[in-house]
Amino acid sequence: LHLVPKLKVFKLVFVGPELNIDKALMKSFIETKVCQACKTAGRKVSYEFWPGFYHDFVGSKNYGKPDLICAFNSGMYRPSDYQGMDSWSPTIEAMFRSSGVPVVVTEYTDQELPLDIARVRNINNSIDIIMPPTRNPFSSSKPSLNFLSEEKVPVIFKNFYITVMRRT
């Protein structure tokens, strides 16, 4: 809010089938406390939760065109998710439906982002890379053990690599 003083409401919507939240939270917005200067100016930060797929959220009454979409540690290059289905193809279509909306994608390793970009371009070939894959200066500094490919990269950091794309 301090970086964009004209912004009155900063609304964050968390979407994903793995969200484990109380049903009561889904039906309401959660507002966080802001500093006195923001409170006086009428600025707010609110959170909303949608524990389902993004492509289903886009068709809901709660959806509004976003200014930015983020897919953190997405693994969207994988052909199937933890339940053995391809949930990313319709989600990728939905994320890149609106032209000009930046989509931030992060991954644990530098090998994953080129695979993500290839998958996105396979679904929608009118994608522009705003920021090529690079080391994310805002990544976690807390190491985690890599149980999937420990022989290549034994320790990983959340959101360690980042890229930004948009539909042209």
Side-chain angles (χ1 to χ4, degrees):
L1 294 175
H2 291 241
L3 294 174
V4 186
K6 291 181 181 178
L7 185 66
K8 290 293 184 186
V9 178
F10 182 45
K11 178 179 171 186
L12 294 140
V13 182
F14 296 90
V15 179
E18 296 173 356
L19 285 177
N20 187 11
I21 59 167
D22 187 303
K23 296 273 188 218
L25 293 178
M26 290 176 10
K27 298 183 188 327
S28 63
F29 293 98
I30 298 173
E31 287 191 12
T32 189
K33 293 180 181 178
V34 294
C35 72
Q36 190 57 48
C38 287
K39 192 182 291 187
T40 302
R43 297 186 196 126
K44 297 177 183 178
V45 177
S46 69
Y47 304 94
E48 184 180 333
F49 302 92
W50 180 273
F53 295 112
Y54 185 79
H55 56 271
D56 292 329
F57 173 68
V58 168
S60 77
K61 63 180 174 127
N62 296 10
Y63 178 78
K65 183 180 175 187
D67 295 311
L68 178 71
I69 299 170
C70 298
F72 299 116
N73 300 314
S74 66
M76 69 172 68
Y77 63 91
R78 294 187 185 103
S80 62
D81 65 12
Y82 66 99
Q83 294 179 332
M85 57 188 266
D86 175 16
S87 60
W88 273 114
S89 289
T91 291
I92 290 168
E93 287 177 28
M95 289 187 332
F96 290 96
R97 192 168 291 147
S98 298
S99 62
V101 176
V103 178
V104 175
V105 179
T106 68
E107 291 290 3
Y108 295 103
T109 68
D110 61 340
Q111 293 111 20
E112 294 170 295
L113 284 176
L115 298 172
D116 288 345
I117 292 169
R119 175 124 193 239
V120 168
R121 284 193 164 146
N122 188 44
I123 292 170
N124 185 334
N125 62 6
S126 60
I127 299 301
D128 184 26
I129 305 297
I130 299 170
M131 185 173 89
T134 188
R135 168 85 166 68
N136 183 0
F138 304 104
S139 69
S140 173
S141 59
K142 178 182 173 188
S144 299
L145 293 176
N146 182 355
F147 296 108
L148 295 177
S149 60
E150 62 187 71
E151 66 283 346
K152 293 180 184 175
V153 184
V155 176
I156 55 176
F157 297 87
K158 291 181 180 177
N159 306 304
F160 204 60
Y161 290 91
I162 188 170
T163 191
V164 182
M165 302 177 259
R166 72 173 167 215
R167 187 179 131 206
T168 54

